[in-house]
Amino acid sequence: MQTANLIVNPGGDAAGGGTGQPTPVVPGWTTIEGTAAVIAYGSSGYPTAASPGPGDRGANFLGGGQSPRTRLTQQITLPMTAQIDAGTALFDTGGWLGGYAGQDDGVRLSVEFLDAAARPLGVVVLGPVTAAERGSTTGLLRRAQTGTVPPGSRTARVLLLFTRDGGTSNDGYADSLWLTLSTPATNLLANPGGDAGPGGSGGATASIPGWTHLEGGTAVIAYGTSGYPTASSPGPANRGANFLGGGTSARSRVGQSVTLPGTAAIDAGTARYDAAAWLGGYADQNDTAQLSVAFRNAAGQTLSTVVLGPVTAAQRADTTGLLSRTATGPVPAGSRTAQVELLFVRAGGTSNDGYADSLSLSITTGGA
């Protein structure tokens, strides 16, 4: 679950843009100091549509006008209060912030979380972006932060502070601001690290809950088994007791078919997938593991495939352990299932030392 962008008029596109002169009223925003400017991209002396900045920019951006200090604010009533109080609501906030050439006029974005009595519980501050950070180029850079919404939060106070370093124009610029709330997406994979049953010592496991053997003999292995990764080896911080390995077959493969949620959003093109896996192997050996996700329509035809890994010995610096691999993107319209397969390949020796743990596939249906 994810909200739409909670910031109103996040880039000044709710009305026409000017040429840098102060704009007394900016829809959605309250002026508490100075006077801001809504500026059209391409105005003489200001960023153009080709200047560094957001790829999805509108016609306008926000500037500091001509005041030494300009402040805009808006107060947002937060949704998802039950999740907030349970400590499971996540925030994602940010924006594109910048300025003019070698000048250090700038803008700072802050988001303050307040309780029902308007007492502050937490604050996020982004920017300003300095001229040095911009390479003394006119434009805007992306700044963002994510985290957990403090339990008890009921409102968020968003504040833009534009400051002038010199001259007559306040050339702090801001565009494409956002604040969204979400809850962690559900992992659609069953038994994603082999913890639904006991771990073995490296031999093939006859039956792995949630997975179907497709080739060879995949193994569920307990961390700390002699010759295998331990609880302190490179790998996921939230690892369970076990991980998955290739057993003793030259090729081992397991799979599971996942029914996808949110079909309306998928067909509307607004659903996103997030796939992740920790993949690795043993010392300097190039035995590997690879995770693939094939999105299929109702007729079983593959629409697109995402592949994570393999992780080579060189990428692991010849160290026994697992590294994180992730991918995200739009779910192809028409998708109804995902065929997930885990492939272990042995490069030499007798043990297939491709390793995998903490696999995940989630679907986000909507949001900003």
Side-chain angles (χ1 to χ4, degrees):
M1 176 182 178
Q2 180 176 324
T3 70
N5 190 357
L6 299 175
I7 296 178
V8 177
N9 193 19
D13 293 305
T19 59
Q21 298 300 310
T23 306
V25 177
V26 181
W29 296 89
T30 299
T31 301
I32 55 178
E33 185 176 5
T35 307
V38 177
I39 307 168
Y41 278 105
S43 295
S44 179
Y46 288 98
T48 69
S51 298
D56 60 348
R57 73 190 76 188
N60 308 325
F61 62 95
L62 300 168
Q66 297 174 346
S67 306
R69 282 170 53 97
T70 296
R71 284 190 294 160
L72 295 177
T73 189
Q74 54 183 272
Q75 195 91 355
I76 297 168
T77 299
L78 297 176
M80 300 170 55
T81 55
Q83 292 91 336
I84 288 172
D85 291 346
T88 61
L90 308 176
F91 71 81
D92 182 345
T93 190
W96 289 76
L97 312 174
Y100 178 79
Q103 298 180 11
D104 261 329
D105 297 8
V107 58
R108 185 182 74 190
L109 170 68
S110 64
V111 179
E112 191 172 23
F113 295 102
L114 309 172
D115 67 12
R119 293 174 298 207
L121 301 176
V123 65
V124 177
V125 179
L126 300 172
V129 171
T130 66
E133 290 172 321
R134 291 184 281 102
S136 295
T137 298
T138 298
L140 300 89
L141 301 182
R142 186 179 187 273
R143 294 292 184 265
Q145 187 169 324
T146 60
T148 301
V149 180
S153 297
R154 290 298 177 267
T155 61
R157 181 163 54 209
V158 178
L159 178 69
L160 280 175
L161 170 61
F162 302 85
T163 54
R164 188 177 71 198
D165 188 59
T168 56
S169 293
N170 186 332
D171 286 302
Y173 308 143
D175 198 3
S176 297
L177 312 172
W178 75 87
L179 171 65
T180 63
L181 302 189
S182 64
T183 53
T186 300
N187 188 358
L188 300 175
L189 299 185
N191 194 19
D195 293 304
S201 57
T205 302
S207 178
I208 304 174
W211 295 92
T212 300
H213 284 287
L214 302 173
E215 185 178 359
T218 298
V220 176
I221 307 168
Y223 278 106
T225 299
S226 179
Y228 290 96
T230 69
S232 60
S233 298
N238 60 344
R239 70 190 78 186
N242 307 327
F243 62 95
L244 299 167
T248 57
S249 303
R251 284 171 56 95
S252 291
R253 191 161 51 100
V254 290
Q256 57 181 276
S257 183
V258 175
T259 300
L260 299 177
T263 55
I266 289 173
D267 293 345
T270 60
R272 187 194 73 196
Y273 72 83
D274 288 279
W278 286 78
L279 307 172
Y282 178 79
D284 60 353
Q285 298 180 11
N286 261 321
D287 299 5
T288 58
Q290 176 180 288
L291 181 72
S292 65
V293 180
F295 292 102
R296 296 179 174 176
N297 63 16
Q301 299 168 316
T302 297
L303 303 177
S304 71
T305 301
V306 180
V307 178
L308 300 180
V311 170
T312 65
Q315 290 169 327
R316 292 184 282 102
D318 294 339
T319 298
T320 298
L322 300 89
L323 302 181
S324 174
R325 293 293 184 264
T326 62
T328 187
V331 180
S335 296
R336 291 299 179 267
T337 62
Q339 179 63 31
V340 179
E341 293 191 4
L342 191 55
L343 170 65
F344 303 89
V345 178
R346 186 178 70 199
T350 57
S351 293
N352 185 333
D353 285 301
Y355 308 143
D357 198 1
S358 297
L359 314 173
S360 68
L361 173 66
S362 61
I363 305 296
T364 304
T365 55

